[in-house]
Amino acid sequence: MTQHEEQPHVVVHDRRRIDPETGEVREAKPAEAAEAEQDAAQETTRDTTQDAAPTGGGRHAAPEPEGGEPEAAPAEPDPAAELKAQLDERTADLQRLTAEYANYRKRVERDRELVVSNAKAQVAGELLGVLDDLERAGAHGDLTGAFKAVADKLVNTLHGVGLEPFGHDGEEFDPAVHEAVQHSTSPDVSGPTVTAVLRRGYRFGERVLRPALVAVTDHEPAAEPPQDVDEQQD
């Protein structure tokens, strides 16, 4: 610092109310009293502002609702409504499982019946040759006595499980179940007719195990009678 520079003028005011030397109360001057009241008012205003500020809020504190009314608390869930919703959900799950199980049982039962039916049809198909031999033996009169009783029991058992023979004289010819090996014509029939069965056919339920070998006769118009010679001359 140079000599030409002026030192700042410092003024110290002693505002202590008690004189440290004498211990007596000092009389406040009007200017000092006014300044002291002003300082006290500022301290009071500062304290009031700090007390009114929300704790931990700062400038990021949530604004108070307009009108000064507090926000309504969220409504608590109704236990009865929640219990009913859970009960409805469990009931729907149980109904769905019951329907799925019922469909599963029907499908299993249908598959089981199909397997059993196919097994029966396969066994019956293996015995068709035996039935042909029994039929030929009966036609020649060789099926008698105990042998006939056993043959009848076998035939009745196969018929009981679902085996059905077809192919008889006089039936209308059906290419779906008949296999024609002979063909002729006759005025005695009105359409294709089975006139002889060479080998009987068999079906098991809706399934044809073997078509029937048959002779078929078609309708043939009758020949016109010859006219008399005299009538031709006339």
Side-chain angles (χ1 to χ4, degrees), residues 182-196 215-223:
Q182 293 181 3
H183 184 267
S184 61
T185 58
S186 173
D188 298 334
V189 297
S190 59
T193 306
V194 175
T195 53
V216 181
T217 301
D218 284 335
H219 173 69
E220 180 182 5

Side-chain angles (χ1 to χ4, degrees), residues 174-178 208 211:
D174 184 359
V177 295
H178 296 146
V208 177

Side-chain angles (χ1 to χ4, degrees), residues 3-211:
Q3 296 180 356
H4 298 282
E5 293 180 356
E6 295 182 357
Q7 297 182 352
H9 180 70
V10 180
V11 179
V12 179
H13 297 281
D14 187 2
R15 298 180 180 179
R16 290 178 291 183
R17 300 293 304 276
I18 305 298
D19 191 343
E21 295 180 357
T22 61
E24 297 179 354
V25 179
R26 294 178 178 176
E27 294 181 359
K29 297 180 180 180
E32 295 179 354
E35 187 176 355
E37 291 178 359
Q38 184 177 2
D39 293 342
Q42 291 179 355
E43 290 290 337
T44 302
T45 304
R46 187 181 303 109
D47 295 341
T48 304
T49 304
Q50 292 178 354
D51 293 341
T55 304
R59 63 178 181 178
H60 298 289
E64 295 184 358
E66 297 181 359
E69 297 180 358
E71 296 182 358
E76 296 182 358
D78 188 3
E82 292 184 355
L83 182 60
K84 185 177 183 304
Q86 295 178 2
L87 180 60
D88 294 341
E89 183 179 359
R90 300 296 184 272
T91 302
D93 293 341
L94 180 59
Q95 292 176 349
R96 183 176 63 257
L97 290 176
T98 302
E100 291 178 356
Y101 179 69
N103 294 333
Y104 169 76
R105 288 189 59 184
K106 292 179 181 178
R107 184 170 61 254
V108 170
E109 185 66 20
R110 184 172 60 253
D111 294 343
R112 186 187 68 83
E113 293 178 356
L114 181 60
V115 170
V116 172
S117 177
N118 290 337
K120 291 180 180 180
Q122 184 176 1
V123 173
E126 296 295 334
L127 295 174
L128 295 183
V130 177
L131 296 179
D132 293 339
D133 294 339
L134 294 177
E135 187 175 2
R136 283 191 293 267
H140 290 83
D142 298 333
L143 198 61
T144 59
F147 184 47
K148 184 177 185 306
V150 175
D152 292 342
K153 183 177 293 186
L154 176 62
V155 172
N156 292 334
T157 300
L158 292 175
H159 291 175
V161 297
L163 184 65
E164 179 184 356
F166 63 87
H168 302 280
D169 294 348
E171 288 182 349
E172 183 179 357
F173 177 75
D174 184 359
V177 295
H178 296 146
E179 183 177 349
V181 295
Q182 293 181 3
H183 184 267
S184 61
T185 58
S186 173
D188 298 334
V189 297
S190 59
T193 306
V194 175
T195 53
V197 179
L198 307 180
R199 188 186 68 181
R200 201 167 305 279
Y202 291 92
R203 65 166 58 94
F204 194 92
E206 300 295 333
R207 177 181 176 184
V208 177
L209 298 181
R210 187 180 72 182

